[in-house]
Amino acid sequence: MVRTKNRYIVVQIRPATAMKALHMKDHVITKCVLHNVKKYYGDYGLGIIEKGFRIKYCNDSTKIAIIRCAHRSHKYVQSTLPFITMIGDVRAKFCTIYTGATIMQCNKFIIKHQQQVLDRMVGNIASAKERNDFIKRVMEFEIE
């Protein structure tokens, strides 16, 4: 049996207006990406990416998603993502931040990326008391 190779694309969804949490479901993002691939590459492009395409992870609070697609079709998906301006009924865009061969490498990248974002946010806080309060709030954050 032949192993199918996949590529995992880590994207950050950036809404046009500032939102605390982006309430997106997997099927909304899937429908949006498939529609745009069909728009730019036609039935041929849609047929190529449909086999291995799936949204593996979507986090509303960090606005990060992982898209899985077949190895031979990931370039169709990656080249279409910058042209997407509407996701469902929200005006937003995709920013590709990493492409990996395994989902474990993508998870490692996301952890490192979020740590850098947190370090930047903590660095912008002037007083030590506010910085400690911010770190305490982040550590007590519970994912629902």
Side-chain angles (χ1 to χ4, degrees):
M1 182 168 275
V2 178
R3 181 176 79 97
T4 12
K5 294 182 180 179
N6 293 317
R7 287 290 176 256
Y8 297 91
I9 305 167
V10 179
V11 294
Q12 187 172 25
I13 302 169
R14 294 188 180 161
T17 60
M19 303 173 117
K20 196 143 192 129
L22 190 67
H23 301 289
M24 288 283 166
K25 299 292 181 203
D26 300 359
H27 61 83
V28 174
I29 297 172
T30 301
K31 189 176 177 182
C32 174
V33 172
L34 291 176
H35 171 73
N36 280 287
V37 167
K38 181 174 174 141
K39 179 180 172 183
Y40 292 109
Y41 290 105
D43 290 331
Y44 175 75
L46 186 62
I48 285 202
I49 73 157
E50 267 185 338
K51 185 172 187 292
F53 186 82
R54 186 167 174 215
I55 304 296
K56 294 295 283 185
Y57 171 78
C58 184
N59 190 328
D60 292 338
S61 57
T62 60
K63 300 173 185 80
I64 289 181
I66 298 177
I67 301 171
R68 181 190 76 187
C69 49
H71 177 66
R72 68 183 187 132
S73 65
H74 77 282
K75 294 200 185 237
Y76 290 98
V77 176
Q78 274 188 318
S79 63
T80 305
L81 290 176
F83 298 115
I84 298 174
T85 56
M86 291 293 287
I87 303 168
D89 57 347
V90 177
R91 188 162 192 74
K93 63 180 181 174
F94 285 105
C95 295
T96 304
I97 55 177
Y98 182 73
T99 302
T102 64
I103 200 158
M104 290 301 294
Q105 290 298 319
C106 292
N107 286 334
K108 287 178 188 176
F109 177 81
I110 290 172
I111 291 168
K112 192 164 64 168
H113 179 265
Q114 288 303 107
Q115 184 65 43
Q116 290 173 352
V117 169
L118 186 62
D119 289 344
R120 263 187 267 135
M121 291 173 73
V122 169
N124 291 338
I125 299 174
S127 72
K129 182 182 182 307
E130 289 177 1
R131 191 176 303 127
N132 289 336
D133 290 342
F134 179 77
I135 292 172
K136 185 177 176 184
R137 283 193 316 243
V138 168
M139 292 303 185
E140 292 174 356
F141 179 72
E142 294 179 11
I143 299 175
E144 299 169 354

